[in-house]
Structure formats: C-alpha cells, structure tokens
Amino acid sequence: LAKDTITLLNEAGERQTITVEAGKTVTLPTLTMDGHNFKGWYDKDGNKVESYTATMDGSGKVTYTARWE
C-alpha cells in the first residue's frame, strides 16, 4: 500500500515522521510549550498547513515546521 511521508520539525529541531496511506487525510497535531503560543505548522513557502491529503501513488514527501509566538 502506497504511503506519503510527512516530517514535522519542532522548536528544538527534533523530527517526527508521519506516514499517510494513499488518498487519506490527516490533521496535523497541535503542540504545547509553557510560556508560548503555538501558531501552527508551516511549509517551506511560509504557508500555514492544518491537514495533509496523501497522493494516490505514495510519492509525497513534505516537511512542515512549527511556529510559536
């Protein structure tokens, strides 16, 4: 079964990898950190991303970075 790969980078530079089955949609997790407000996940172009829908062939590989205020 084909799967896409999502890499999530947090404030400490740690990576979490999520695999998503072809055609499925996942909601990205919400992070918490004392004294900070999680603004969301952002792609390399600075666009906020809340969910991800996998490709049908498993060719998707994306990285999102957490932003805080």
Side-chain angles (χ1 to χ4, degrees):
L1 187 59
K3 294 182 180 181
D4 284 12
T5 302
I6 303 170
T7 301
L8 301 176
L9 299 176
N10 69 16
E11 70 287 347
E14 298 168 337
R15 295 174 182 261
Q16 175 184 359
T17 301
I18 299 172
T19 54
V20 185
E21 290 183 20
K24 302 283 185 184
T25 299
V26 295
T27 300
L28 300 179
T30 299
L31 301 181
T32 59
M33 181 169 55
D34 289 342
H36 294 83
N37 182 31
F38 180 64
K39 291 181 63 180
W41 296 102
Y42 289 79
D43 67 14
K44 64 182 170 94
D45 296 321
N47 300 304
K48 187 174 182 177
V49 180
E50 295 179 357
S51 64
Y52 177 83
T53 301
T55 61
M56 293 307 292
D57 64 1
S59 65
K61 291 181 180 24
V62 295
T63 299
Y64 300 128
T65 303
R67 285 199 188 163
W68 302 86
E69 60 181 13

